Amino acid sequence: MARILIAEDRESMRKALRALFLTRPPCEVCGEAEDGSEAVKKAAQWHPELIVVDFRMHALDGLRAANEIFRSTPSVPIVMYTMYKNEEVESTAKLVGIRRVIAKEERSAEPDEGN
């Protein structure tokens, strides 16, 4: 089972992401963080296999949190889920160890049931 840490400052978005991952076995949300500082601590404590971070968070933003996490555990994939996706954010994200930037507006591409 893939253990996932969600770092997002909005509780409603954390709940939505948790619900999404629960519909995608074999995924398990091992923890949630309300800001980047908490994400760094919880990543070290829980050893997730995937980390989802928001770009803008209190205390420590997603880029700086990802950079700290990547330096200590470079093998753990980090995905940024943000409203601020653009080329500059994507290039900076890659530099700090984020593997993919996904816009919050993007929907998952799932095949239709009848096809």
Side-chain angles (χ1 to χ4, degrees):
M1 181 155 309
R3 296 170 40 82
I4 302 166
L5 171 63
I6 299 169
E8 162 69 57
D9 58 341
R10 290 186 0 205
E11 183 179 3
S12 61
M13 187 58 69
R14 287 194 312 272
K15 285 182 178 181
L17 287 169
R18 177 182 281 278
L20 174 69
F21 287 124
L22 289 175
T23 67
R24 306 269 196 262
C27 295
E28 170 192 31
V29 176
C30 66
E32 297 177 10
E34 294 182 17
D35 61 48
S37 295
E38 189 178 7
V40 172
K41 291 174 191 168
K42 289 185 175 182
Q45 177 184 2
W46 293 332
H47 309 286
E49 295 165 311
L50 172 67
I51 301 171
V52 179
V53 299
D54 186 18
F55 176 66
R56 287 201 174 170
M57 293 185 288
H58 306 289
L60 191 66
D61 67 40
L63 291 172
R64 294 184 339 198
N67 188 36
E68 287 189 35
I69 294 167
F70 181 74
R71 284 186 296 166
S72 63
T73 54
S75 62
V76 176
I78 304 171
V79 174
M80 179 171 279
Y81 191 57
T82 182
M83 293 173 34
Y84 305 98
K85 182 179 178 184
N86 59 46
E87 288 182 29
E88 182 180 350
V89 169
E90 285 187 279
S91 63
T92 304
K94 299 280 185 209
L95 291 173
V96 300
I98 294 171
R99 296 205 186 160
R100 183 159 182 216
V101 178
I102 300 171
K104 288 184 178 178
E105 306 84 44
E106 289 180 28
R107 299 210 189 278
S108 99
E110 293 184 19
D112 292 333
E113 293 273 330
N115 294 335

